[in-house]
PDB file of all heavy atoms in Angstrom:
ATOM      1  N   SER A  41      12.102 -14.086  -6.271  1.00  0.00           N
ATOM      2  CA  SER A  41      11.811 -15.014  -5.183  1.00  0.00           C
ATOM      3  C   SER A  41      11.875 -16.458  -5.657  1.00  0.00           C
ATOM      4  O   SER A  41      12.418 -17.329  -4.966  1.00  0.00           O
ATOM      5  CB  SER A  41      10.431 -14.708  -4.599  1.00  0.00           C
ATOM      6  OG  SER A  41      10.107 -15.637  -3.601  1.00  0.00           O
ATOM      7  N   PRO A  64      10.799 -27.454  -9.554  1.00  0.00           N
ATOM      8  CA  PRO A  64       9.366 -27.284  -9.293  1.00  0.00           C
ATOM      9  C   PRO A  64       8.531 -27.532 -10.551  1.00  0.00           C
ATOM     10  O   PRO A  64       8.978 -27.315 -11.675  1.00  0.00           O
ATOM     11  CB  PRO A  64       9.235 -25.842  -8.840  1.00  0.00           C
ATOM     12  CG  PRO A  64      10.532 -25.199  -9.058  1.00  0.00           C
ATOM     13  CD  PRO A  64      11.537 -26.226  -9.387  1.00  0.00           C
ATOM     14  N   GLN A  68       3.010 -25.486  -9.841  1.00  0.00           N
ATOM     15  CA  GLN A  68       3.429 -24.782  -8.629  1.00  0.00           C
ATOM     16  C   GLN A  68       3.817 -23.333  -8.956  1.00  0.00           C
ATOM     17  O   GLN A  68       3.478 -22.408  -8.222  1.00  0.00           O
ATOM     18  CB  GLN A  68       4.614 -25.489  -7.970  1.00  0.00           C
ATOM     19  CG  GLN A  68       4.265 -26.828  -7.372  1.00  0.00           C
ATOM     20  CD  GLN A  68       5.498 -27.581  -6.919  1.00  0.00           C
ATOM     21  OE1 GLN A  68       6.539 -27.526  -7.564  1.00  0.00           O
ATOM     22  NE2 GLN A  68       5.369 -28.301  -5.817  1.00  0.00           N
ATOM     23  N   ARG A  86      -3.668 -24.407   2.301  1.00  0.00           N
ATOM     24  CA  ARG A  86      -4.859 -24.228   1.452  1.00  0.00           C
ATOM     25  C   ARG A  86      -6.119 -24.480   2.265  1.00  0.00           C
ATOM     26  O   ARG A  86      -6.171 -25.369   3.108  1.00  0.00           O
ATOM     27  CB  ARG A  86      -4.837 -25.212   0.275  1.00  0.00           C
ATOM     28  CG  ARG A  86      -3.589 -25.231  -0.580  1.00  0.00           C
ATOM     29  CD  ARG A  86      -3.519 -24.145  -1.610  1.00  0.00           C
ATOM     30  NE  ARG A  86      -4.570 -24.121  -2.564  1.00  0.00           N
ATOM     31  CZ  ARG A  86      -4.518 -24.692  -3.764  1.00  0.00           C
ATOM     32  NH1 ARG A  86      -3.458 -25.372  -4.138  1.00  0.00           N
ATOM     33  NH2 ARG A  86      -5.528 -24.588  -4.577  1.00  0.00           N
ATOM     34  N   ALA A 109     -15.042   6.587  -4.193  1.00  0.00           N
ATOM     35  CA  ALA A 109     -13.899   7.416  -4.595  1.00  0.00           C
ATOM     36  C   ALA A 109     -14.306   8.338  -5.749  1.00  0.00           C
ATOM     37  O   ALA A 109     -13.925   9.512  -5.776  1.00  0.00           O
ATOM     38  CB  ALA A 109     -12.715   6.539  -4.985  1.00  0.00           C
ATOM     39  N   ILE A 148      -9.468   9.328  -0.884  1.00  0.00           N
ATOM     40  CA  ILE A 148      -9.409   8.491  -2.091  1.00  0.00           C
ATOM     41  C   ILE A 148      -8.243   7.519  -1.999  1.00  0.00           C
ATOM     42  O   ILE A 148      -8.366   6.341  -2.362  1.00  0.00           O
ATOM     43  CB  ILE A 148      -9.333   9.367  -3.355  1.00  0.00           C
ATOM     44  CG1 ILE A 148     -10.660  10.086  -3.571  1.00  0.00           C
ATOM     45  CG2 ILE A 148      -8.975   8.548  -4.579  1.00  0.00           C
ATOM     46  CD1 ILE A 148     -10.634  11.136  -4.652  1.00  0.00           C
ATOM     47  N   PHE A 153      -6.333   1.934  -1.337  1.00  0.00           N
ATOM     48  CA  PHE A 153      -5.587   0.929  -0.576  1.00  0.00           C
ATOM     49  C   PHE A 153      -6.514  -0.133  -0.015  1.00  0.00           C
ATOM     50  O   PHE A 153      -6.206  -1.322  -0.064  1.00  0.00           O
ATOM     51  CB  PHE A 153      -4.789   1.578   0.555  1.00  0.00           C
ATOM     52  CG  PHE A 153      -3.501   2.186   0.099  1.00  0.00           C
ATOM     53  CD1 PHE A 153      -3.156   3.458   0.491  1.00  0.00           C
ATOM     54  CD2 PHE A 153      -2.628   1.490  -0.720  1.00  0.00           C
ATOM     55  CE1 PHE A 153      -1.970   4.033   0.078  1.00  0.00           C
ATOM     56  CE2 PHE A 153      -1.435   2.057  -1.140  1.00  0.00           C
ATOM     57  CZ  PHE A 153      -1.108   3.325  -0.743  1.00  0.00           C
ATOM     58  N   MET A 174      -1.638 -13.212   5.795  1.00  0.00           N
ATOM     59  CA  MET A 174      -0.992 -12.269   6.696  1.00  0.00           C
ATOM     60  C   MET A 174      -0.478 -11.093   5.870  1.00  0.00           C
ATOM     61  O   MET A 174       0.695 -10.770   5.899  1.00  0.00           O
ATOM     62  CB  MET A 174       0.145 -12.952   7.466  1.00  0.00           C
ATOM     63  CG  MET A 174      -0.306 -14.169   8.243  1.00  0.00           C
ATOM     64  SD  MET A 174      -1.531 -13.792   9.472  1.00  0.00           S
ATOM     65  CE  MET A 174      -0.475 -13.326  10.791  1.00  0.00           C
TER      66      MET A 174
END
Side-chain angles (χ1 to χ4, degrees):
S41 177
Q68 291 171 323
R86 307 279 301 265
I148 290 171
F153 279 132
M174 303 299 274

